[in-house]
């Protein structure tokens, strides 16, 4: 069998949620070998807005880790964020920084899940940016333009018009552009200083396009149904955008890191159009496939080295985390992604499988080519 050994991967963009979903997701992440760092997004309901919220959330995550890590290996180290809104003050940034929160995430208002309290006027945040710049507190951007005048597919590229003046006016500000989806963003990131800007790339943006969501790319003979498992914000884009994201990953450039944007929603919410992709089963196998099939990376150790940089080294460098020596293995083996996954945790409010608590994973009913086998050695 063909084996792929990777450094233990980090994930710099995860929606862990709260309550029973959090306990479920933490266990699932550990089962899949995420024993490194996991950056927790703050768009929970209610949101994580202050240092105190972040400490409470951290406690909840630690509780879930204590429950699951003896069973599945791990734990991972949670890295905490707060949400920056138009009400966030410089004092709130200072307090979060002192509490060990690594950064603040800015959502454009009403664009994505739980973003009703998001930002419309980025100029209002200048005092917050000044404080973040001073402290080395990282600002994370969901890079879509909040204006209703700008069409959805153009929102990612248009957001760069908001970012340019921010990097000009705060040259020391360290920031991330989350889940990039376009060639324009890749090119923008390449123009920024290493160590100053990081972009995360989720596996579905690197391997899928809008046609996959809309059902134009179904295999011959399959119904041309749209694919609700792939509905997300920002929307998936074109083949050219996807090619640019793949080039970014395999360039070895330090400015690009893995952030899955794992975003669980239950099936009833998905049917109502909730945006967010559940990619824990198919994500890493899809990225390994890319490396495996990339004819530009013919030398085997080179291919693995580049993947390790993307999956753990680049993010660790940017977020000031140590490097992992531990490795995990995947074997080449076809494994079908379940059509639905029951979210439950014995002893929680979701103690057993229930028809209203199913998750439709990305690539449900389709095979992946790499099976996670566990810790190497
Ligand atoms: C995310 C979620 O469900 O929280 N959804 C998504 O489509 N990506 C929010 C986000 O990251 O935009
Ligand atoms: Zn997200």
């Amino acid at each position: 069998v063909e084996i792929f050994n990777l450094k233990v991967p980090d994930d710099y963009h995860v929606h862990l949620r709260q309550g029973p979903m959090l306990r479920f997701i933490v266990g699932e992440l550990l089962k899949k070998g995420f024993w490194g760092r996991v950056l927790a997004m703050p768009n929970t309901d209610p949101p994580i807005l202050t240092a105190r919220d972040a400490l409470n959330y951290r406690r909840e995550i630690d509780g879930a880790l204590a429950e699951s890590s003896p069973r599945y290996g791990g734990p991972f180290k949670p890295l905490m964020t707060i949400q920056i809104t138009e009400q966030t003050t410089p004092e709130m940034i200072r307090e979060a920084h002192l509490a060990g929160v690594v950064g603040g995430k800015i959502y454009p208002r009403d664009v994505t899940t739980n973003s009703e309290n998001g930002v419309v006027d980025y100029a209002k945040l200048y005092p917050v940016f000044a404080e973040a710049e001073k402290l080395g507190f990282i600002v994370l951007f969901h890079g879509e333009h909040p204006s209703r005048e700008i069409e959805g597919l153009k929102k990612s590229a248009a957001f760069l018009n908001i970012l340019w003046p921010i990097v000009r006016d705060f040259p020391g500000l360290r920031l991330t552009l989350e889940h990039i989806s376009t060639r324009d963003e890749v090119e923008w990131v390449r123009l920024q200083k290493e160590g100053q800007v990081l972009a995360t790339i989720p596996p579905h943006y690197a391997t899928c396009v809008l046609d996959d969501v809309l059902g134009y790319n179904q295999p011959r003979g399959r119904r041309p149904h749209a694919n609700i498992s792939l509905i997300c914000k920002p929307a998936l884009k074109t083949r050219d955008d996807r090619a640019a994201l793949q080039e970014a990953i395999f360039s070895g450039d330090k400015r690009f890191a893995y952030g899955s944007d794992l975003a669980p929603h239950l099936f009833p919410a998905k049917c109502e159009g909730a945006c967010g992709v559940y990619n824990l089963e198919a994500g890493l196998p899809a990225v390994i496939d890319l490396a495996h099939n990339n004819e530009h990376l013919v030398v085997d150790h080179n291919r693995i080295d580049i993947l390790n940089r993307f999956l753990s080294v680049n993010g660790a460098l940017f977020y000031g985390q140590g490097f992992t020596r531990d490795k995990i293995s995947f074997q080449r083996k076809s494994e079908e992604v379940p059509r639905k996954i029951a979210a439950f945790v014995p002893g929680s409010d979701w103690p057993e499988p229930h028809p209203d608590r199913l998750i439709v994973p990305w690539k449900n009913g389709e095979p992946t080519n790499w099976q996670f086998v566990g810790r190497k050695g």
Side-chain angles (χ1 to χ4, degrees):
V1 261
E2 229 173 317
I3 299 280
F4 233 91
N5 294 320
L6 293 172
K7 283 177 188 288
V8 165
D10 290 345
D11 192 335
Y12 288 97
H13 186 131
V14 182
H15 300 272
L16 294 173
R17 312 299 190 209
Q18 289 164 302
M21 182 66 103
L22 168 96
R23 291 166 69 181
F24 174 71
I25 293 297
V26 164
E28 294 299 297
L29 277 162
L30 295 177
K31 260 192 224 172
K32 296 288 178 192
F34 284 93
W35 303 319
R37 275 69 53 130
V38 167
L39 186 71
M41 289 295 131
N43 67 329
T44 46
D45 181 16
I48 310 303
L49 297 173
T50 64
R52 177 186 293 262
D53 293 342
L55 289 174
N56 288 336
Y57 192 33
R58 169 79 202 236
R59 253 192 300 281
E60 193 184 354
I61 296 167
D62 284 342
L65 283 167
E67 179 176 69
S68 285
S69 50
R71 243 173 303 156
Y72 304 127
F76 59 74
K77 176 180 175 187
L79 300 177
M80 306 309 294
T81 59
I82 57 166
Q83 190 184 341
I84 294 174
T85 71
E86 291 184 7
Q87 278 69 51
T88 304
T89 62
E91 294 74 59
M92 288 161 77
I93 299 293
R94 238 179 351 261
E95 282 166 19
H97 179 66
L98 284 173
V101 173
V102 300
K105 173 92 183 266
I106 304 176
Y107 289 92
R109 188 180 301 166
D110 291 332
V111 169
T112 189
T113 305
N114 299 340
S115 64
E116 304 78 36
N117 56 355
V119 169
V120 174
D121 185 1
Y122 288 75
K124 286 200 182 136
L125 301 181
Y126 267 41
V128 158
F129 292 150
E131 192 65 23
E133 180 182 42
K134 200 170 81 195
L135 298 171
F137 187 78
I138 294 163
V139 176
L140 299 82
F141 289 93
H142 177 121
E144 288 194 279
H145 202 293
S147 168
R148 287 291 154 113
E149 301 305 312
I150 295 169
E151 289 175 84
L153 293 179
K154 296 181 181 155
K155 281 180 178 298
S156 297
F159 187 74
L160 301 172
N161 299 328
I162 292 180
L163 267 186
W164 272 122
I166 295 173
V167 295
R168 179 195 63 209
D169 296 340
F170 301 95
L173 183 66
R174 303 187 67 227
L175 64 93
T176 74
L177 191 49
E178 294 299 322
H179 40 53
I180 57 173
S181 61
T182 61
R183 181 176 288 279
D184 290 303
E185 289 164 290
V186 169
E187 286 172 0
W188 185 88
V189 170
R190 287 214 173 103
L191 293 174
Q192 310 307 314
K193 275 183 289 206
E194 245 175 43
Q196 189 101 33
V197 171
L198 182 82
T200 53
I201 303 179
H204 43 299
Y205 293 88
T207 56
C208 296
V209 291
L210 185 57
D211 276 1
D212 295 306
V213 188
L214 300 178
Y216 290 113
N217 286 342
Q218 297 285 11
R220 289 266 170 232
R222 277 251 214 125
R223 295 170 301 179
H225 282 184
N227 188 345
I228 60 167
S229 78
L230 268 178
I231 291 176
C232 58
K233 301 282 179 58
L236 299 185
K237 303 289 190 317
T238 67
R239 293 178 195 187
D240 180 62
D241 292 310
R242 174 177 64 182
L245 296 169
Q246 293 182 4
E247 285 158 23
I249 294 172
F250 292 108
S251 65
D253 191 317
K254 290 191 177 62
R255 286 164 284 205
F256 300 97
Y258 188 71
S260 67
D261 197 15
L262 174 69
H265 292 275
L266 295 179
F267 184 52
K270 268 319 249 176
C271 290
E272 290 175 358
C275 43
V277 174
Y278 192 83
N279 54 23
L280 198 42
E281 338 294 304
L284 288 182
V287 174
I288 295 173
D289 259 346
L290 276 182
H292 196 255
N293 303 333
N294 193 321
E295 72 265 22
H296 307 299
L297 299 167
V298 278
V299 191
D300 224 41
H301 78 264
N302 182 13
R303 169 157 62 188
I304 291 172
D305 176 56
I306 294 258
L307 257 196
N308 281 332
R309 285 194 221 178
F310 176 63
L311 292 173
S312 45
V313 175
N314 295 350
L317 267 174
F318 185 81
Y319 281 101
Q321 304 296 312
F323 298 125
T324 349
R325 284 168 175 277
D326 290 352
K327 297 227 167 129
I328 58 172
S329 309
F330 289 82
Q331 61 176 348
R332 190 174 178 82
K333 188 172 176 219
S334 177
E335 191 177 37
E336 190 173 296
V337 176
R339 289 192 176 274
K340 301 236 169 62
I341 294 170
F344 70 100
V345 181
S348 77
D349 289 346
W350 298 356
E352 70 264 319
H354 186 283
D356 286 342
R357 296 196 291 264
L358 297 169
I359 290 171
V360 196
W362 176 36
K363 296 203 180 168
N364 60 86
E366 291 174 44
T368 60
N369 296 322
W370 299 94
Q371 184 184 46
F372 175 62
V373 280
R375 216 175 275 272
K376 190 201 165 201

